Amino acid sequence: MSSTSQPLLGTRSTNPSVSAWWASRSRDVLSLLTVLLLLGTGLGIWVYGTLPTSDPSTNPHEYALSTDNIRHHLSKLLDIAREHNNSRSVTTGHSASGTYVLSQLERFGNCDAHKQRFVSPVWTVTQPPTLCVREPYRVDYIHETDFELMRYGGRSANITRGRVAVARACTADKVGDVGGRVVVVTAKCLLFETAFMLEQMGARAVVFVRSAQYKQPSRARVRLVEWREGDPLMTIPVLSATHSVGQVLTHASRVDIETHSQIDEVETFNILCVGRTGDPRNTIIVGAHLDSVRNGPGINDNGSGSSSVLEIQLTLAHTKFDPLNRLVFAWWGAEEDGLLGSRHFVHTMAHNWTNKWSVYEPRIEWSDIALDLNFDMLA
């Protein structure tokens, strides 16, 4: 008996030529397996119109869901976008999209459907901004390369030969006198809180300088994350500049800034479809955002999710499905503006708000929600 012990989880002896082949071809083999898996999945969808995973005799609802019907909803949303400047954003085709969803629920659904209204800030840019150093020497900067007007960064302004102040801190007691000045912020600060503080202190504009690790200016939102009606919004321009541009701005004495933008507070809505049966103490939310970005119809993002959620509800109604737990289907508004619709829904429950626009608002308690299912970009 040999005295050399063998490990319990040892490595198997392999042919060196096989190892070399696998090392060079493993990625190709895995890619082929992935393609075969996708082809099999696609074949299943083509054969069944959906992708069943169980016995149709015991789970008929799974086989009843039709991708043809989902595509029909998608085509309707695309038609709506085409009628509204190729968009279904809050200010374009979202309202008509909501009308379509509600009409389907009222005709074929089995829930109490209604609009939950709220206010959303909508920021619009009509022309590109300009930024130019005037003193001690003139430098014209390139929009989107050297600087950017940050989202929700104020309304239109035309600042000529504005005096520059440099803020190397984030608190009012350390930034100094900024009244009537364009403030160049070099410290790492919270965007909205710092910009709004400087506006309250009399600044004419704010320019945040990015760290050297970032090669492009930022397009982040300068707005409270949990914004709701009544909260403040920026009115002075807020820009982002690259680190190299910032080095010049900190030594400049006067600059020109011109922006063309506006912020409007518009009324929009969620659609809630509250199930009539099932245990409300274990409520399941099934949601998808219904709005699109301003510059596109949003058929994948997120017509695919909202159409799927709609067809799931209609399929359950058609098959007379009686859920054990209450189902609440939701189509969120203003998601592309910062998840504002779903945030409003959560705040309404968490803070016991009443919906001042709706005559009927079914009570959905925060403590009753057991699960949330979100469907986004399913296509």
Side-chain angles (χ1 to χ4, degrees):
M1 179 177 180
S2 171
S3 62
T4 303
S5 61
Q6 296 294 327
L8 292 175
L9 297 177
T11 57
R12 180 179 298 179
S13 175
T14 58
N15 187 317
S17 61
V18 174
S19 298
W21 179 87
W22 176 252
S24 63
R25 297 294 184 181
S26 58
R27 182 173 296 180
D28 295 336
V29 173
L30 292 175
S31 298
L32 177 60
L33 292 174
T34 301
V35 170
L36 292 174
L37 176 62
L38 292 175
L39 287 174
T41 302
L43 180 62
I45 294 175
W46 179 74
V47 170
Y48 292 103
T50 180
L51 189 61
T53 59
S54 57
D55 185 349
S57 62
T58 57
N59 295 277
H61 315 93
E62 197 172 326
Y63 286 76
L65 184 65
S66 168
T67 52
D68 287 340
N69 292 345
I70 295 174
R71 292 191 187 96
H72 174 75
H73 300 318
L74 281 171
S75 68
K76 292 295 185 181
L77 295 181
L78 181 58
D79 290 342
I80 289 170
R82 287 169 173 162
E83 294 168 1
H84 293 83
N85 199 29
N86 198 40
S87 175
R88 296 185 304 103
S89 69
V90 165
T91 56
T92 55
H94 174 256
S95 180
S97 300
T99 299
Y100 172 74
V101 170
L102 276 174
S103 69
Q104 294 295 298
L105 294 174
E106 290 167 355
R107 290 180 62 190
F108 307 113
N110 62 346
C111 62
D112 295 319
H114 73 288
K115 290 181 179 180
Q116 183 187 51
R117 300 181 186 273
F118 61 96
V119 169
S120 171
V122 176
W123 185 68
T124 307
V125 175
T126 57
Q127 294 182 40
T130 60
L131 171 63
C132 170
V133 169
R134 294 295 297 271
E135 293 182 10
Y137 38 75
R138 182 176 180 115
V139 183
D140 292 286
Y141 287 111
I142 302 173
H143 175 230
E144 296 181 333
T145 300
D146 299 321
F147 77 99
E148 182 60 89
L149 179 61
M150 302 183 77
R151 288 183 290 171
Y152 293 89
R155 296 183 170 89
S156 297
N158 189 353
I159 301 172
T160 303
R161 301 180 67 83
R163 293 182 300 163
V164 175
V166 179
R168 305 185 190 279
C170 306
T171 56
D173 60 327
K174 295 182 179 180
V175 298
D177 180 17
V178 299
R181 296 173 182 259
V182 175
V183 184
V184 178
V185 181
T186 60
K188 293 182 179 180
C189 305
L190 296 173
L191 295 177
F192 175 79
E193 290 77 357
T194 304
F196 187 69
M197 175 195 73
L198 293 171
E199 179 179 318
Q200 297 297 101
M201 295 174 66
R204 298 181 68 187
V206 179
V207 182
F208 287 101
V209 179
R210 300 207 83 184
S211 301
Q213 68 189 92
Y214 300 107
K215 304 306 179 185
Q216 299 292 328
S218 171
R219 292 198 69 251
R221 291 188 184 93
V222 189
R223 192 192 70 196
L224 289 172
V225 174
E226 301 287 345
W227 189 93
R228 63 186 179 93
E229 186 179 8
D231 286 340
L233 294 162
M234 294 300 303
T235 59
I236 64 172
V238 182
L239 284 70
S240 169
T242 62
H243 184 75
S244 58
V245 171
Q247 298 306 299
V248 178
L249 292 176
T250 57
H251 293 89
S253 56
R254 293 185 180 273
V255 298
D256 292 348
I257 294 176
E258 186 173 354
T259 62
H260 303 271
S261 58
Q262 64 187 55
I263 300 179
D264 300 303
E265 296 185 29
V266 301
E267 181 183 308
T268 186
F269 56 87
N270 298 320
I271 294 176
L272 299 179
C273 162
V274 182
R276 298 170 183 145
T277 60
D279 185 357
R281 296 169 300 176
N282 289 301
T283 295
I284 298 172
I285 308 293
V286 184
H289 77 87
L290 185 58
D291 63 312
S292 77
V293 296
R294 176 179 294 272
N295 297 323
I299 299 307
N300 182 30
D301 184 12
N302 184 38
S304 60
S306 51
S307 295
S308 297
V309 169
L310 176 59
E311 187 56 30
I312 289 170
Q313 209 293 319
L314 300 184
T315 299
L316 294 179
H318 176 72
T319 57
K320 296 180 172 55
F321 178 73
D322 186 21
L324 177 64
N325 299 307
R326 180 173 65 175
L327 299 175
V328 175
F329 291 83
W331 291 263
W332 312 119
E335 189 269 356
E336 299 290 0
D337 296 308
L339 312 177
L340 294 180
S342 54
R343 290 184 191 277
H344 177 79
F345 174 74
V346 169
H347 286 314
T348 299
M349 293 183 297
H351 303 298
N352 245 350
W353 292 353
T354 56
N355 189 347
K356 66 182 181 182
W357 291 283
S358 296
V359 176
Y360 170 70
E361 181 84 26
R363 294 305 303 165
I364 303 173
E365 301 292 340
W366 177 262
S367 58
D368 290 341
I369 295 181
L371 178 67
D372 174 69
L373 300 173
N374 185 61
F375 293 82
D376 203 308
M377 298 178 68
L378 301 187

